[in-house]
Amino acid sequence: MNLLLRALRGEDTPRAPIWIMRQAGRHLPEYRALKEKHDFWTLARTPELAAEVTLQPVRRYGMDGAILFSDIMTPLPAMGLELDFRPGPVLERPVRSRDDVLRLRVPAQDEVAPFVAEAIKLLRAELGETPLIGFAGAPLTLATYAVEGSGSKEYETFRGFLRSESETAEELLDALSEVTIRYLRCQVEAGAQAVQLFDSWAGIHDLPTYRRFGARYAARVLSALEETGVPRIYIALGATHLAPAIAELPLEAVSVDWRLPLSRWRELLPGRALQGNLDPAALLGPWANLEAEATEVLRQGLGAAHVFNLGHGIFRQTEPDQVARLVDLVQGFDRHATSTGAPAPSPGRGGGP
Amino acid sequence: MNLLLRALRGEDTPRAPIWIMRQAGRHLPEYRALKEKHDFWTLARTPELAAEVTLQPVRRYGMDGAILFSDIMTPLPAMGLELDFRPGPVLERPVRSRDDVLRLRVPAQDEVAPFVAEAIKLLRAELGETPLIGFAGAPLTLATYAVEGSGSKEYETFRGFLRSESETAEELLDALSEVTIRYLRCQVEAGAQAVQLFDSWAGIHDLPTYRRFGARYAARVLSALEETGVPRIYIALGATHLAPAIAELPLEAVSVDWRLPLSRWRELLPGRALQGNLDPAALLGPWANLEAEATEVLRQGLGAAHVFNLGHGIFRQTEPDQVARLVDLVQGFDRHATSTGAPAPSPGRGGGP
């Protein structure tokens, strides 16, 4: 079996596989060239274009995994929530009442986002040995956007809504959970070999609020996917304080941010493969610094299953050369070579801490 | 001595004093009326107007403390960093190089922001028994804005700068620390009876980065203020993971957000007074819910020094009536009345969980 899938299933692999959140997209010149001809939403909804963008970082860097080029908001239009990107997602009519929730459609599995299934089929034919990761937004995070209507620093409209309309919020989360289950099942049936559930905004809540409105619905989605047999990854950001609930989710792997070292996450999330957790800002600094920070992540990841990744999406101003050297470093680091986990010599690297 | 100052010094007071971050400002109709006539920066820099805005919530709610109406960016113009508010702070020319840092001025104590000292003198004459809290941005947070140039979701320019220009960053932090010391000393000499150091963006860093660029400079500022004898409060947001370094800062009180309960913070920050930690979104929900959440905060705060506050600034859309009822609830809660800490009957309250 493939290295990435083995690590996601909990195996202590000879080296850590690497892929990078948002690897397909804005930091790549070949993506920006396509973007001059098509807007984001067209790229995401046209199977040939979405497949091409997904392949770009795999070709350029030899990543150990591909992640579908799409957006977590993708399932919302089929529910009746029309979206626009300016450039962040904006809902024409946010959900603010029980009537708004009752009006939502729960589309059939093949109607959530048929263009995504098409893109996945094209990709599987192209990708060969490289596994394809599908993804979706977690119900809590989708509800955050559905109610707030756009990106926000504090999401206070949604946080107030959870208090003043808590039962309506649960009805909304029920509908979003069902759609997310269908959407991810469709992705797996089309060929996705792992899935990642993004709960980007879970970290703004305290633990009881997260258990009621977040973990409960994430668990429902993840449980429903167990029968598909693909490894399930979950990510929340700034969520150190939510670790007790995340540790109980039915899944194989957790993607963690840089706020705590992997050694600490391993104590907090026993028995799970860990994915992460280099600070994406490290890629904006000099190579010597990046090498030192990445090597520390690799060392912290020793002794159990580890998929190397960033703690959050790559920044658009990242130089592709930095990414290429990082991939080279990670793919040259033999986890079983020495007791200290020193990197194996790799011709592509220079500089030093 | 006043209830608020006693609690900040670590005393288990008969009831928890209450004040609210951003109590002076945008959620109050009397503030918005002034704002129609003067822009934010004029209000902050005109002593009579800043004093009037500071007094508004004390008059309306009978808060147990007043906090100076100002902005954490206030000291930057005297350093040569011109500011504009649109409405968030924007620097005309952000700091991006060592030359930019060498060009910064370190103004004398009475030249940092003389209008602030004037406002404080006016306020002390008006406030009577109600203590006045002065404040400043912590060096790390000021540096974040000085380099980024404006508010941002990720502050990646600054995070990259810490890596590519780490020594220049330290020179910048040195200058900002010295100015912050002078600015806070000036506030205390003018009459501020406590000071709060705001490290709003500390939580985006991991612990080693925070120790090097954050805690070290916050500690320098807080140490320098020890001789003034006023209680020192520190706040960082989303900073659960930084607790080991925050616990070592030289200060009397830590203001904490809602992500962890006060009982847990007490374990993480032994021997410190705690301030907080109601989620400001609780004020956007119905009273029964707000009462239940606030009562839980009061219960969690029993047994040691506690100043009731929100975990972050009040949202502008908060109804003043909700704040009035919250103040009534907190001021009617007798911390020593019963072993379970049930609220004392208070005529102004209605509803129930």
Side-chain angles (χ1 to χ4, degrees), chain A residues 92-104:
Chain A
E92 280 178 21
R93 197 179 151 181
V95 172
R96 295 287 163 86
S97 70
R98 181 141 195 267
D99 280 353
D100 291 341
V101 173
L102 295 177
R103 213 177 286 125
L104 294 177

Side-chain angles (χ1 to χ4, degrees), chain B residues 156-231:
Chain B
E156 65 264 34
T157 305
F158 179 65
R159 286 155 69 191
F161 181 83
L162 286 183
R163 287 159 164 104
S164 53
E165 303 288 343
S166 44
E167 275 134 49
T168 300
E170 287 172 334
E171 290 182 90
L172 172 61
L173 288 160
D174 280 336
L176 291 167
S177 299
E178 185 54 37
V179 173
T180 305
I181 290 167
R182 294 178 188 192
Y183 181 45
L184 285 173
R185 274 194 186 134
C186 172
Q187 292 185 41
V188 174
E189 287 176 18
Q193 292 141 292
V195 290
Q196 181 157 324
L197 196 62
F198 283 83
D199 222 347
S200 315
W201 287 98
I204 59 177
H205 305 286
D206 65 18
L207 187 57
T209 307
Y210 172 68
R211 282 192 191 278
R212 176 172 176 190
F213 299 108
R216 184 174 153 207
Y217 299 93
R220 188 186 297 174
V221 172
L222 293 165
S223 286
L225 288 163
E226 186 173 8
E227 60 176 15
T228 67
V230 305

Side-chain angles (χ1 to χ4, degrees), chain A residues 127-201:
Chain A
L127 275 166
E129 292 298 299
T130 307
L132 178 66
I133 303 164
F135 75 90
L140 175 63
T141 288
L142 293 176
T144 306
Y145 279 91
V147 172
E148 199 74 34
S150 65
S152 157
K153 221 167 183 175
E154 307 257 21
Y155 293 103
E156 65 265 34
T157 306
F158 179 64
R159 287 155 69 192
F161 182 82
L162 286 183
R163 288 158 162 105
S164 52
E165 304 287 342
S166 45
E167 274 134 49
T168 300
E170 288 173 334
E171 290 181 271
L172 171 62
L173 288 160
D174 280 336
L176 290 167
S177 299
E178 184 54 37
V179 172
T180 305
I181 290 167
R182 293 178 189 190
Y183 181 46
L184 285 172
R185 273 195 186 132
C186 172
Q187 292 185 42
V188 174
E189 286 175 19
Q193 291 141 293
V195 290
Q196 181 157 325
L197 196 62
F198 283 83
D199 221 348
S200 315
W201 286 99

Side-chain angles (χ1 to χ4, degrees), chain A:
Chain A
M1 206 198 329
N2 172 276
L3 198 67
L4 173 62
L5 299 178
R6 281 160 58 196
L8 287 175
R9 289 180 189 288
E11 191 176 318
D12 179 9
T13 51
R15 70 167 177 86
I18 176 172
W19 69 277
I20 285 183
M21 282 186 277
R22 293 208 189 114
Q23 65 187 19
R26 56 200 183 165
H27 87 282
L28 285 176
E30 53 269 39
Y31 171 78
R32 293 196 297 265
L34 269 180
K35 190 81 189 319
E36 278 175 25
K37 286 182 274 181
H38 313 279
D39 64 28
F40 169 80
W41 206 201
T42 302
L43 289 174
R45 289 186 296 184
T46 309
E48 294 74 16
L49 293 171
E52 168 59 21
V53 175
T54 301
L55 287 167
Q56 285 175 344
V58 179
R59 277 192 215 115
R60 182 188 269 260
Y61 301 122
M63 290 288 181
D64 293 312
I67 178 126
L68 182 67
F69 176 76
S70 187
D71 188 273
I72 60 170
M73 299 295 134
T74 301
L76 296 189
M79 297 179 73
L81 293 167
E82 285 307 320
L83 267 182
D84 196 13
F85 287 85
R86 315 174 198 164
V90 177
L91 289 189
E92 280 178 21
R93 197 179 151 181
V95 172
R96 295 287 163 86
S97 70
R98 181 141 195 267
D99 280 353
D100 291 341
V101 173
L102 295 177
R103 213 177 286 125
L104 294 177
R105 290 195 301 275
V106 176
Q109 182 176 311
D110 57 358
E111 288 167 354
V112 179
F115 48 88
V116 165
E118 285 311 306
I120 289 173
K121 285 174 197 162
L122 293 173
L123 279 163
R124 280 300 302 276
E126 294 283 332
L127 275 166
E129 292 298 299
T130 307
L132 178 66
I133 303 164
F135 75 90
L140 175 63
T141 288
L142 293 176
T144 306
Y145 279 91
V147 172
E148 199 74 34
S150 65
S152 157
K153 221 167 183 175
E154 307 257 21
Y155 293 103
E156 65 265 34
T157 306
F158 179 64
R159 287 155 69 192
F161 182 82
L162 286 183
R163 288 158 162 105
S164 52
E165 304 287 342
S166 45
E167 274 134 49
T168 300
E170 288 173 334
E171 290 181 271
L172 171 62
L173 288 160
D174 280 336
L176 290 167
S177 299
E178 184 54 37
V179 172
T180 305
I181 290 167
R182 293 178 189 190
Y183 181 46
L184 285 172
R185 273 195 186 132
C186 172
Q187 292 185 42
V188 174
E189 286 175 19
Q193 291 141 293
V195 290
Q196 181 157 325
L197 196 62
F198 283 83
D199 221 348
S200 315
W201 286 99
I204 58 176
H205 305 286
D206 65 16
L207 186 58
T209 307
Y210 172 68
R211 281 193 192 277
R212 176 171 175 190
F213 298 109
R216 183 174 153 208
Y217 298 93
R220 189 187 296 174
V221 172
L222 293 164
S223 286
L225 288 163
E226 185 173 9
E227 61 175 15
T228 66
V230 304
R232 298 160 292 179
I233 316 165
Y234 177 78
I235 181 166
L237 297 166
T240 315
H241 61 296
L242 305 179
I246 295 172
E248 293 167 5
L249 292 175
L251 46 69
E252 283 69 39
V254 179
S255 202
V256 296
D257 74 23
W258 61 89
R259 287 178 176 81
L260 290 179
L262 289 178
S263 55
R264 179 70 185 125
W265 279 115
R266 214 176 288 295
E267 293 167 7
L268 293 169
L269 304 171
R272 307 309 170 87
L274 291 184
Q275 179 174 279
N277 69 343
L278 184 70
D279 187 336
L283 283 153
L284 304 180
W287 169 249
N289 181 294
L290 170 56
E291 183 184 40
E293 290 193 51
T295 302
E296 180 58 23
V297 169
L298 287 164
R299 287 191 173 137
Q300 293 275 348
L302 290 175
H306 177 215
V307 174
F308 192 98
N309 206 318
L310 306 184
H312 194 184
I314 190 168
F315 291 121
R316 71 183 72 208
Q317 61 269 55
T318 306
E319 287 291 337
D321 281 358
Q322 291 272 85
V323 182
R325 291 178 89 175
L326 174 66
V327 170
D328 191 34
L329 172 69
V330 174
Q331 293 182 344
F333 185 94
D334 183 339
R335 285 159 53 86
H336 299 157
T338 69
S339 58
T340 58
S346 167
R349 293 190 297 113

Side-chain angles (χ1 to χ4, degrees), chain B residues 245-277:
Chain B
I246 294 171
E248 293 167 7
L249 293 175
L251 47 70
E252 283 68 40
V254 180
S255 202
V256 297
D257 74 22
W258 61 89
R259 287 177 175 80
L260 289 179
L262 288 178
S263 55
R264 178 72 184 123
W265 280 115
R266 214 176 289 295
E267 294 166 8
L268 293 169
L269 304 172
R272 307 309 170 89
L274 291 184
Q275 179 175 279
N277 72 343

